[in-house]
């Protein structure tokens, strides 16, 4: 139970720090041309990401990270 | 635009000052175009696509393990429609056909071993010194999912989704939802997601009772023994996933994401197809061999806790180089209450080559074993009935895995792309190496697989 | 099918804050022509592939949207957004999303042009009166007014704006082009998926179209020639995108043989002396074309070289 508390409070702190530091980091709306390119999206190929997630979820004990953990496929 | 009376254009085009002119004036046209687009509310992405049209992706994955283990083929059909007001509808259909054999959790032995099929119908025999593999795995699964994403106002966006998947002995239904809040001119986005999933496991023959003894095929008491090893004929599992994430634009070329995920599973978490070998720990001629009771080897069905809580921390960065190449790196840390800790490092480099690209990929994964992971049980533990939870599923062991791959893509047009990738996945396990006769067996063979995928987007 | 003359389209009073006469719809060679007044210009919408009811609806929508933009950003109305901004001296004013987008655009143009495009330069009209006379302001007058110019002096952050005392914003330089682009977007959204309809918008020489005509050919538009002596109209063919024109349209000062155009340099407070009579630029949107043509005029003698360096389609009139 202890690590649950530590992990949660650390992540809350990290998010709060990130937000406060973030208020001045960034770019103007018209500077978005590079970031709006398809290959710069965080999940560029959703089909490949889904297939890989399924493989690793079936073969390893960890899952998720980017989106929800698990795929409900019975692979345990 | 064609102009009549374009005298002035011709004059300036031929003027020797033209070349000098392009050097002395800063090129503002692209930035100005982007500024106008953002003013008029049109983003590059939407401008490039046909607004309101469907975009499709079809792909097939082939996965083949070495040593006659699992072979799987997985076709995917994905459709996305973007509406004029920024709403997105996504529908995905996946099929999964699996054949081949998977380790059943037992240890190899210097004598032949006979196992009951999980359904109770039939048996399979494993040769001496061979890794016990259960080839019952012939299954087809179909899954359908849909998500709807829409803006609420300038700063808020929501997503709702549903999911269903069915295979012969497994049904999974899920619902998910999420909220996203933008800050700081969309440089920062805060994301919260929640997913709920209800699974029903109904293997043929019913679910085995945890740590019950596997009935020995060919014995007179088989039917009674088999029934005694069964639990309810169907069992459920519920999973709740929550994710909190921050996406941050760092500069014009860099974007990062940081997520924290919490996953809670409850219910029947065992793998109904896995057993543990009981190894004779009494000093004597059978030291390290299979423990026998009533003249037959003792194998016990595995038993895991009926709940699991996982914490995941994930960090990803994407960086665009000036030449158009893209670097993508991520790290994931996982910690759960089964005692497993894992680290995942993933790295991709997209090498742009005009209309096509090459993308090498490297992945490193490492996990520590679950608290209740045991490669085998000893006869002392068995007779004392001292173990309450145990599993020899290699997926819960100390493990490290490497993936090395290469993807090639070719853009036929602005909206059509063909791609193909090949990857090699190497997994190695380690743990207790046994004693006596068992120590001469290879308890942790490496498992390697080839991954091959072909895809087409249009 | 009876002979169609023309009709006046009814606009509700609350949508006509500047009390313009009602827009007029007529049929000309299978093309619907809608005309109305706005921003001191003759505004026209040409529609192809629609029936009368749709033409009336489109004209009504275009007129209401243009009058809305005109009223919101006009320098001459009391109480509108522009007026509120130009009195935000003591306290920062929170502005809406549309104004925010326009001011962000003005900010970016200021940076891209190294300060030559500056929406705070409107105050120069107080000392430069372009009536064909020879009264050019003295250097003392210019020195007094220069401190009131400079977008970098304006406090603009996260939808809040505050001006230093006596400074003013003037969005007249981009207002018409913005209206053209907004009306084009608005009408394009209203075209049903099943219909093949083409639109040309012409607000006093600032044009945008939704594509070529239904027969595949380009739109032919007569653009007023700014030549002093000849009044021959110039024919322009437009296939896609937009055209904007910056011209001196006979507003200038003439002193000792030097022609001072009404294009003023915000950094020096001086008029550009070698500006062309007119610059027309083609670009995907009217706003882009408008900024490029304005910046070209500000280059004076270097207008053609500037536009060549930007890779733009353009046409410059000098004599």
């Amino acid at each position: 139970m202890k690590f649950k508390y530590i992990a949660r409070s650390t992540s809350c702190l990290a998010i709060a720090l990130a937000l406060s530091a973030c208020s001045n980091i960034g770019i103007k709306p018209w500077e978005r041309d590079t970031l709006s390119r398809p290959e710069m999206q965080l999940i560029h190929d959703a089909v490949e990401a889904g297939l890989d997630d399924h493989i690793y979820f079936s073969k390893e004990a960890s899952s998720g990270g980017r989106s929800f953990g698990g795929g409900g496929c019975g692979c345990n | 635009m064609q102009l009549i009376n374009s005298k002035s254009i011709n004059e300036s085009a031929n003027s020797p000052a033209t070349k000098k002119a392009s050097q002395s004036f800063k090129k503002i046209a692209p930035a100005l175009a982007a500024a106008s687009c953002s003013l008029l509310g049109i983003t590059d992405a939407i401008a490039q696509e046909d607004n309101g049209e469907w975009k499709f992706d079809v792909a097939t994955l082939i996965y083949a393990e070495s040593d006659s283990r699992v072979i799987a083929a997985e076709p995917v059909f994905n459709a996305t429609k973007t509406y004029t007001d920024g709403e997105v509808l996504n529908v995905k259909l996946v099929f999964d056909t699996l054949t081949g054999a998977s380790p059943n959790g037992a240890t190899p032995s210097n004598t032949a071993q006979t196992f009951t099929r999980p359904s109770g119908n039939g048996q399979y025999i494993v040769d001496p010194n061979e890794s016990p593999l259960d080839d019952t795995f012939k299954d087809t699964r179909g899954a359908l999912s849909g998500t709807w994403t829409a803006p609420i106002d300038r700063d808020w966006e929501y997503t709702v989704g549903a999911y269903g998947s069915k295979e012969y002995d497994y049904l999974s239904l899920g619902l998910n939802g999420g909220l996203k809040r933008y800050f700081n001119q969309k440089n920062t986005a805060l994301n919260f997601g929640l997913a709920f999933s209800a699974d029903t496991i109904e293997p043929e023959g019913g679910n085995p009772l945890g740590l019950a003894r596997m009935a020995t095929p060919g014995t007179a008491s088989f039917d009674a023994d088999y029934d005694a090893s069964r639990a309810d004929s169907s069992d459920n599992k519920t999973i709740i996933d929550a994710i909190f994430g921050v996406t941050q634009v760092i500069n014009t070329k860099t974007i990062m994401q940081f997520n924290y995920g919490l996953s809670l599973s409850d219910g029947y978490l065992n793998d109904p197809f896995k057993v543990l070998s009981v190894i004779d720990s009494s000093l004597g001629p059978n030291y390290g061999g299979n423990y026998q009771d009533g003249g037959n080897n003792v194998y016990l069905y595995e038993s895991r806790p009926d709940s699991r809580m996982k914490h995941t921390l994930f960090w990803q960065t994407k960086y665009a180089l000036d030449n158009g190449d893209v670097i993508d790196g991520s790290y994931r840390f996982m910690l759960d209450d089964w005692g497993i800790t894992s680290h995942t490092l993933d790295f991709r480099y997209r090498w742009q080559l005009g209309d096509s690209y090459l993308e090498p990929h490297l992945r490193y994964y490492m996990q520590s074993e679950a608290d209740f992971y045991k490669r085998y049980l000893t006869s002392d533990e068995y007779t004392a009935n001292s173990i309450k939870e145990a599993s020899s599923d290699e997926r819960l062991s100390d493990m490290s895995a490497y993936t090395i791959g290469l993807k090639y893509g070719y853009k036929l047009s602005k909206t059509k792309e063909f791609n193909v990738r090949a990857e090699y996945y190497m997994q190695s396990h380690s743990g207790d190496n046994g004693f006596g006769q068992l120590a001469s067996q290879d308890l942790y063979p490496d498992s390697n697989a080839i991954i091959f995928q072909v895809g087409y987007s249009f | 099918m009876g002979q169609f003359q023309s009709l006046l389209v009814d606009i509700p009073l609350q949508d006509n804050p500047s009390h313009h006469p009602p827009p007029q719809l007529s049929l000309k060679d299978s093309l619907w022509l809608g005309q109305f007044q706005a921003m001191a210009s003759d505004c026209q919408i040409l529609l192809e592939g629609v029936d009368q009811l749709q033409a009336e609806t489109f004209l009504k929508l275009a007129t209401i949207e243009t009058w809305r933009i005109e009223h919101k950003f006009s320098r001459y109305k009391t109480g509108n957004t522009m007026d509120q901004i130009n009195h935000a001296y003591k306290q920062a004013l929170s502005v809406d999303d549309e104004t925010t987008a326009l001011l962000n655009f003005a900010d970016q143009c200021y940076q891209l042009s190294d300060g030559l495009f500056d929406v705070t330069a409107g105050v120069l009209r107080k000392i430069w009166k372009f009536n064909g006379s020879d009264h050019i302001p003295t250097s003392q007058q210019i020195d007094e007014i220069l401190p009131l110019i400079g977008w970098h002096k304006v406090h603009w952050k996260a939808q809040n704006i505050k001006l230093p005392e006596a400074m003013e914003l003037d969005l007249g330089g981009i207002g018409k082009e913005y209206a053209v682009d907004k009306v084009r977007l608005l009408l394009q959204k209203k075209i049903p998926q099943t219909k093949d309809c083409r639109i040309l918008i012409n607000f006093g020489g600032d044009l945008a179209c939704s594509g070529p005509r239904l027969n595949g050919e380009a739109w032919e538009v007569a653009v007023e020639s700014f030549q002093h002596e000849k009044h021959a109209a110039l024919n322009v063919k437009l296939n896609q995108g937009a055209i904007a024109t910056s011209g001196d349209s006979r507003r200038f000062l003439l002193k000792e043989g030097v022609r001072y155009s009404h294009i003023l340099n915000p950094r020096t407070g001086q008029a550009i002396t070698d500006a062309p009579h007119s610059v027309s630029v083609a670009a995907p949107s009217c706003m882009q074309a408008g900024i490029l043509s304005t910046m070209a005029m500000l280059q004076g003698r270097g207008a053609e070289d500037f536009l060549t360096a930007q890779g733009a389609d353009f046409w410059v009139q000098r004599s």
Side-chain angles (χ1 to χ4, degrees):
Chain A
M1 288 302 281
K2 189 166 130 192
F3 56 77
K4 172 185 167 189
Y5 174 72
I6 292 169
R8 189 186 280 165
S9 55
T10 309
S11 56
C12 282
L13 179 64
I15 290 169
L17 278 174
L19 273 183
S20 61
C22 283
S23 57
N24 288 317
I25 302 174
I27 58 178
K28 297 271 184 285
W30 51 81
E31 293 174 316
R32 282 192 174 266
D33 56 325
T34 303
L35 292 178
S36 66
R37 276 166 25 200
E39 56 269 20
M40 278 302 284
Q41 304 314 301
L42 287 165
I43 300 181
H44 159 52
D45 191 331
V47 165
E48 179 182 329
L51 288 168
D52 270 354
D53 275 355
H54 182 208
I55 292 171
Y56 297 121
F57 171 69
S58 308
K59 296 291 296 173
E60 297 166 356
S62 318
S63 60
R66 293 170 203 270
S67 56
F68 294 118
C73 64
C75 339
N76 268 62
Chain B
M1 172 178 105
Q2 184 193 330
L3 296 165
I4 302 169
N5 191 2
S6 52
K7 187 168 146 218
S8 301
I9 291 181
N10 289 337
E11 279 181 0
S12 56
N14 293 333
S15 113
T18 302
K19 242 207 172 117
K20 187 179 159 213
S22 18
Q23 288 159 11
S24 57
F25 286 111
K26 195 166 69 174
K27 256 204 109 84
I28 61 160
L32 182 59
S36 318
C37 279
S38 86
L39 167 61
L40 297 167
I42 309 166
T43 62
D44 278 357
I46 295 176
Q48 280 169 22
E49 292 171 12
D50 291 336
N51 229 337
E53 296 291 309
W54 286 93
K55 293 211 99 295
F56 301 103
D57 306 282
V58 292
T60 301
L61 177 88
I62 312 252
Y63 172 84
E65 287 177 351
S66 55
D67 300 325
S68 325
R69 290 174 52 170
V70 169
I71 297 179
E74 197 164 335
V76 181
F77 176 73
N78 188 62
T80 307
K81 178 165 171 150
T82 308
Y83 295 83
T84 43
D85 290 331
E87 299 123 338
V88 180
L89 173 67
N90 185 69
V91 178
K92 186 158 105 171
L93 187 61
V94 182
F95 289 103
D96 203 335
T97 61
L98 207 79
T99 59
S102 240
N104 68 0
T107 52
S109 167
N110 52 17
T111 58
Q113 304 181 74
T114 307
F115 297 94
T116 305
R117 289 204 182 280
S119 61
N121 302 328
Q123 62 190 51
Y124 57 101
I125 298 171
V126 174
D127 290 338
N129 304 313
E130 286 289 307
S131 235
L133 302 175
D134 180 352
D135 63 355
T136 315
F137 290 89
K138 282 174 187 56
D139 214 345
T140 306
R141 178 182 71 106
L144 179 68
S145 64
T147 33
W148 171 256
T149 308
I152 298 174
D153 63 20
R154 206 175 61 103
D155 295 328
W156 290 89
E157 192 182 274
Y158 75 90
T159 304
V160 288
Y163 169 89
S165 125
K166 179 84 184 87
E167 61 198 285
Y168 167 63
D169 56 0
Y170 202 99
L171 172 71
S172 176
L173 296 169
L175 284 172
N176 58 69
L179 264 183
K180 197 176 223 180
R181 207 319 184 168
Y182 292 100
F183 295 88
N184 190 18
Q185 294 184 310
K186 288 208 162 152
N187 280 302
T188 311
L190 220 58
N191 186 46
F192 170 68
L194 201 61
F196 177 78
S197 173
D199 297 357
T200 310
I201 308 115
E202 290 175 304
E204 192 183 345
N207 285 321
L209 200 56
L211 294 178
R213 184 175 171 188
M214 185 190 83
T216 310
T219 56
S221 56
F222 178 81
D223 287 336
D225 291 340
Y226 184 77
D227 287 338
S229 68
R230 300 291 106 184
D232 295 330
S233 64
S234 91
D235 240 306
N236 305 314
K237 175 162 90 173
T238 53
I239 305 170
I240 299 176
D241 278 302
I243 189 162
F244 302 85
V246 181
T247 307
Q248 176 68 43
V249 170
I250 304 296
N251 58 38
T252 56
K253 298 183 177 320
T254 317
I255 187 163
M256 278 193 197
Q257 182 174 70
F258 182 79
N259 293 334
Y260 164 70
L262 178 68
S263 179
L264 302 164
S265 322
D266 209 278
Y268 186 81
L269 304 183
N270 298 347
D271 185 333
F273 304 105
K274 298 267 191 290
V275 296
L276 288 115
S277 301
V278 178
I279 303 298
D280 201 335
S281 47
S282 55
L283 297 165
N286 198 31
Y287 183 67
N290 284 89
Y291 179 73
Q292 298 203 327
D293 187 342
N296 296 308
N297 289 348
V298 180
Y299 303 99
L300 302 181
Y301 290 105
E302 69 162 38
S303 180
R304 305 185 190 193
D306 58 11
S307 72
R308 182 181 184 189
M309 175 160 62
K310 292 194 297 191
H311 302 270
T312 309
L313 291 175
F314 174 78
W315 174 58
Q316 182 189 7
T317 303
K318 278 194 107 140
Y319 176 71
L321 285 91
D322 290 334
N323 60 6
D325 292 352
V326 179
I327 298 179
D328 183 342
S330 68
Y331 167 71
R332 178 185 64 180
F333 172 74
M334 199 262 325
L335 179 73
D336 73 4
D337 64 355
W338 283 3
I340 304 174
T341 309
S342 81
H343 305 271
T344 314
L345 272 171
D346 200 294
F347 179 79
R348 266 167 231 269
Y349 184 91
R350 174 172 269 213
W351 186 24
Q352 286 292 141
L353 304 156
D355 285 336
S356 58
Y357 64 86
L358 265 179
E359 191 174 277
H361 173 222
L362 280 174
R363 179 182 185 271
Y364 170 69
Y365 177 77
M366 184 198 111
Q367 75 179 41
S368 66
E369 64 181 32
D371 293 335
F372 55 87
Y373 173 79
K374 293 183 89 57
R375 186 65 188 88
Y376 57 85
L377 291 174
T378 65
S379 50
D380 288 341
E381 290 166 332
Y382 174 60
T383 47
N385 209 4
S386 55
I387 304 291
K388 296 299 162 204
E389 287 160 350
S391 169
S392 59
D393 189 339
E394 60 174 17
R395 295 175 294 188
L396 300 176
S397 66
D398 272 336
M399 170 204 303
S400 66
Y402 295 86
T403 308
I404 181 162
L406 187 64
K407 182 174 176 182
Y408 171 76
Y410 177 68
K411 277 187 118 53
L412 292 93
S413 76
K414 219 177 209 182
T415 49
K416 293 186 171 50
E417 180 182 303
F418 162 79
N419 54 60
V420 58
R421 74 175 169 131
E423 306 212 308
Y424 189 60
Y425 179 53
M426 298 160 281
Q427 204 182 70
S428 60
H429 310 256
S430 63
D432 186 331
N433 284 312
F435 53 89
Q437 293 173 34
L438 192 60
S440 60
Q441 295 291 342
D442 181 6
L443 299 181
Y444 306 99
D446 288 347
S447 69
N448 303 324
I450 290 179
I451 297 164
F452 182 73
Q453 180 188 325
V454 185
Y456 182 61
S457 302
F458 58 99
Chain C
M1 204 161 71
Q3 188 76 331
F4 181 85
Q5 297 291 335
S6 68
L7 60 86
L8 296 177
V9 175
D10 237 338
I11 307 286
L13 208 58
Q14 75 256 27
D15 291 318
N16 187 2
S18 309
H19 308 294
H20 289 296
Q24 186 183 57
L25 183 67
S26 44
L27 188 57
K28 193 173 89 166
D29 308 323
S30 82
L31 265 184
W32 290 98
L33 171 66
Q35 295 169 288
F36 59 95
Q37 292 290 317
M39 299 173 177
S41 305
D42 290 326
C43 295
Q44 293 182 346
I45 315 270
L46 281 158
L47 300 159
E48 197 180 27
V50 293
D51 58 38
Q52 182 175 335
L53 189 59
Q54 284 167 321
E56 280 181 46
T57 312
F58 282 22
L59 177 58
K60 198 167 171 181
L61 286 169
T63 310
I64 292 176
E65 175 69 357
T66 312
W67 287 347
R68 178 193 73 80
I69 293 171
E70 175 191 39
H71 180 79
K72 185 170 176 182
F73 296 111
S74 161
R75 235 182 345 106
Y76 306 105
K77 317 274 178 189
T78 23
N80 69 351
T81 304
M82 217 56 229
D83 189 47
Q84 287 174 37
I85 292 175
N86 285 334
H87 286 93
Y89 297 131
K90 301 249 180 332
Q91 239 188 331
L93 176 73
S94 181
V95 293
D96 67 13
D97 287 354
E98 183 181 32
T99 314
T100 302
L102 267 171
L103 292 176
N104 280 337
F105 181 76
D107 179 25
Q108 173 65 343
C109 291
Y110 175 79
Q111 289 172 34
L112 283 175
S113 65
D114 293 323
L116 284 182
F117 179 86
D118 192 331
V119 292
T120 62
V123 290
L124 284 170
R125 72 178 184 282
K126 294 184 181 161
I127 58 170
W128 287 91
K129 308 259 185 235
F130 291 96
N131 48 19
S133 73
D134 66 350
H135 290 126
I136 64 169
T138 63
S139 52
Q140 190 197 3
Q141 280 178 298
I142 293 176
D143 287 342
E144 274 170 12
I145 210 155
L146 271 181
L148 297 180
I149 300 169
W151 171 255
H152 58 283
K153 298 173 189 164
V154 170
H155 303 281
W156 168 237
K157 191 179 164 111
Q159 294 198 276
N160 288 318
I161 185 160
K162 189 162 137 198
L163 302 179
E165 192 74 32
M167 281 184 73
E168 277 177 25
L169 293 194
D170 181 359
L171 295 180
I174 49 175
K176 210 159 18 127
E177 293 88 339
Y178 178 63
V180 167
D181 282 334
K182 287 294 272 190
V183 167
R184 174 173 67 163
L185 275 179
L186 180 69
L187 294 185
Q188 277 181 305
K189 272 194 204 171
K190 296 293 175 189
I191 299 171
Q193 293 280 43
T194 48
K195 260 269 181 183
D196 211 2
C197 162
R198 300 300 156 87
I199 303 164
L200 178 78
I201 300 161
N202 181 356
F203 289 0
D206 289 332
L207 308 153
C209 70
S210 67
R213 293 193 58 169
L214 284 174
N215 60 7
E217 293 182 5
W219 297 88
E220 275 193 42
V221 187
V223 173
E224 190 199 353
S225 161
F226 292 109
Q227 293 177 9
H228 197 49
E229 292 79 30
K230 305 178 199 170
H231 287 277
L234 221 64
N235 276 335
V236 168
K237 281 184 173 183
L238 190 61
N239 253 316
Q240 57 176 1
I243 299 176
T245 304
S246 290
D248 64 15
S249 57
R250 303 179 209 96
R251 283 185 290 162
F252 57 90
L253 295 173
L254 194 59
K255 181 165 179 158
E256 290 158 14
V258 180
R259 192 189 187 94
Y260 296 84
S261 72
H262 82 298
I263 309 298
L264 304 167
N265 184 327
R267 298 204 299 233
T268 61
Q270 299 282 359
I272 307 287
T273 49
D274 289 326
H277 269 289
S278 81
V279 173
S280 298
V281 179
S285 75
C286 206
M287 299 223 64
Q288 273 171 264
I291 297 292
L292 285 172
S293 67
T294 305
M295 296 226 232
M297 289 287 273
L298 284 164
Q299 305 300 328
R301 183 112 298 266
E304 292 90 338
D305 288 345
F306 169 78
L307 289 170
T308 309
Q310 303 308 326
D313 274 345
F314 65 91
W315 173 64
V316 168
Q317 277 193 94
R318 283 200 178 273
S319 54

